[in-house]
Amino acid sequence: MQTRCATAVACPNIAFVKYWGNRDDELRLPANGSISMNLAGLETRTSVAFDAALERDAFTLQGIPQTGEALARVSAHLDLLRARGDSAWKAKAASESNFPAGAGIASSAAGFAALTVAAAAALGLNLSARELSILARRGSGSASRSIPHGFVEWYAADRDEDSFAESIAPPDHWPLVDLIAVVDAGHKKVGSAEGNRLARTSPYQEARVMDAPRRLLLCRRAVIGRDFATLAMLIEEEARMMHQVMRTSTPPLDYLEDSTRDLMRSIPQWRAGGLPAAFTLDAGPNVHCICPENAAPEAERRLREQPGVRRILIGRPGPGARVVAVDGAGNGRAP
Ligand code: DP6
């Protein structure tokens, strides 16, 4: 039997400076650079088995066989890796996460980072972290940031080979906690791929993108200097700006729920009252409450008291994507 398989694990990440909108949708070259923190505690584990006998790719998500767009997106991503590995073998990919998919917890980031790393290992490709980040980006933009560890910056660029993510500080640099208040774990109505395409239809997007270098500099400095007060103001501004672009796109996108808006009011008030905590959001209604480790128990207690908060997921600065197993016979290359 000619098969070659590997398993990889990746964390999702939460962006402090947001990716929203591309300069090139096909290549997923982002309109602006972004900065994020990987989230240990949340993880996606993906196995990829290339098999000479398979006629088509197959993909299961949480054990459920996928068809249509979900399968096509994974298959297109495997094509990129097959091209790098000079292989024509089809594959079975299986992905399991310990957090709900499609609810603003960047499931595609962890998913495509793990898929890229597993497929590259299965094909026996010896790729650098930079090359893996570039490939992961092609599957889902934010996945580029789940390849390196800890606190990460993804560079905007005009060429495929220049847009990748790098670590700016390791996970143990700053003990921050992301308390993810899940207000609705349902699948989102408009996926980020479609949302990213709509970003340019908002008149606010140009202003957001033009101002990004200033916010990236502030964020980089805040992370390196462990300056929570600056980070808090910045991430809330970022979340509001991104959702303003979403709301003013054509057609408009409104990912927020009433309970999201309540938390967007409460968390800054807690901070004004002395509790270091700040919110950010992704393309979904859940609220990411970021705080230093010593403020996390009190912030978590308050979040649990908020109406509409169904559960709380917890992430801490996390590792990069990594291979956890490689096995099988043959080299995954077409005979
Ligand atoms: C709102 O990376 O999910 O989470 O490239 O189309 O897969 P695709 O989009 P995705 O975009 C989500 C971006 C965000 C903000 C961020 O993580 O920077």
Side-chain angles (χ1 to χ4, degrees):
M1 195 175 64
Q2 289 188 297
T3 60
R4 177 82 200 226
C5 42
T7 302
V9 169
C11 303
N13 62 75
I14 180 67
F16 294 158
V17 176
K18 303 292 181 185
Y19 155 53
W20 194 247
N22 290 314
R23 56 185 72 181
D24 183 323
D25 287 322
E26 171 66 23
L27 289 175
R28 285 192 158 81
L29 292 172
N32 61 278
S34 52
I35 293 180
S36 60
M37 176 178 102
N38 279 355
L39 298 175
L42 308 181
E43 106 183 358
T44 297
R45 176 173 294 256
T46 301
S47 297
V48 181
F50 290 93
D51 185 335
L54 279 178
E55 284 182 11
R56 57 185 68 87
D57 291 326
F59 172 49
T60 62
L61 197 56
Q62 310 289 62
I64 300 166
Q66 303 291 302
T67 56
E69 246 177 68
L71 174 61
R73 190 167 169 186
V74 165
S75 201
H77 196 61
L78 291 172
D79 284 344
L80 288 178
L81 283 128
R82 278 186 281 253
R84 290 296 285 264
D86 200 17
S87 171
W89 291 8
K90 300 295 182 192
K92 277 185 186 160
S95 189
E96 305 264 352
S97 296
N98 66 354
F99 57 93
I105 313 173
S107 53
S108 66
F112 278 95
L115 182 71
T116 304
V117 170
L123 289 166
L125 300 174
N126 193 14
L127 301 178
S128 64
R130 175 174 170 162
E131 288 172 302
L132 288 168
S133 176
I134 289 168
L135 281 165
R137 189 202 81 225
R138 298 283 305 273
S140 175
S142 53
S144 66
R145 297 190 311 240
S146 282
I147 298 288
H149 71 167
F151 299 85
V152 172
E153 178 162 3
W154 169 22
Y155 309 114
D158 288 327
R159 296 189 312 174
D160 179 50
E161 60 269 37
D162 296 329
S163 185
F164 59 95
E166 268 180 340
S167 190
I168 56 173
D172 63 1
H173 169 72
W174 196 4
L176 292 180
V177 181
D178 181 4
L179 301 166
I180 308 169
V182 178
V183 300
D184 181 354
H187 210 79
K188 54 189 188 211
K189 296 172 205 91
V190 178
S192 331
E194 175 60 10
N196 271 311
R197 272 191 287 274
L198 296 179
R200 61 173 66 87
T201 66
S202 164
Y204 293 99
Q205 173 70 346
E206 192 183 337
R208 197 188 74 83
V209 170
M210 294 291 282
D211 182 55
R214 179 190 68 88
R215 303 192 315 278
L216 286 163
L217 180 65
L218 271 178
C219 185
R220 224 177 280 129
R221 280 195 192 144
V223 168
I224 304 292
R226 302 184 192 91
D227 173 356
F228 189 77
T230 303
L231 186 78
M233 285 196 322
L234 180 87
I235 65 176
E236 291 183 355
E237 180 191 357
E238 274 292 325
R240 288 193 192 99
M241 282 171 90
M242 181 178 72
H243 281 270
Q244 179 70 355
V245 168
M246 292 164 167
R247 269 194 300 274
T248 54
S249 294
T250 309
L253 296 174
D254 188 355
Y255 289 107
L256 310 184
E257 304 282 335
D258 289 346
S259 23
T260 316
R261 293 193 186 85
D262 289 346
L263 285 163
M264 289 169 74
R265 271 189 296 271
S266 303
I267 294 172
Q269 285 168 7
W270 300 347
R271 191 162 71 255
L275 181 72
F279 72 79
T280 187
L281 307 161
D282 272 345
N286 300 325
V287 176
H288 293 248
C289 178
I290 310 289
C291 54
E293 181 73 61
N294 58 8
E298 176 62 14
E300 186 180 346
R301 193 188 63 72
R302 293 190 194 186
L303 287 173
R304 286 194 193 282
E305 282 176 357
Q306 292 283 312
V309 174
R310 295 188 189 172
R311 64 191 277 217
I312 293 173
L313 303 172
I314 301 181
R316 293 188 162 78
R322 63 227 173 263
V323 177
V324 293
V326 184
D327 53 50
N331 61 9
R333 287 165 199 271

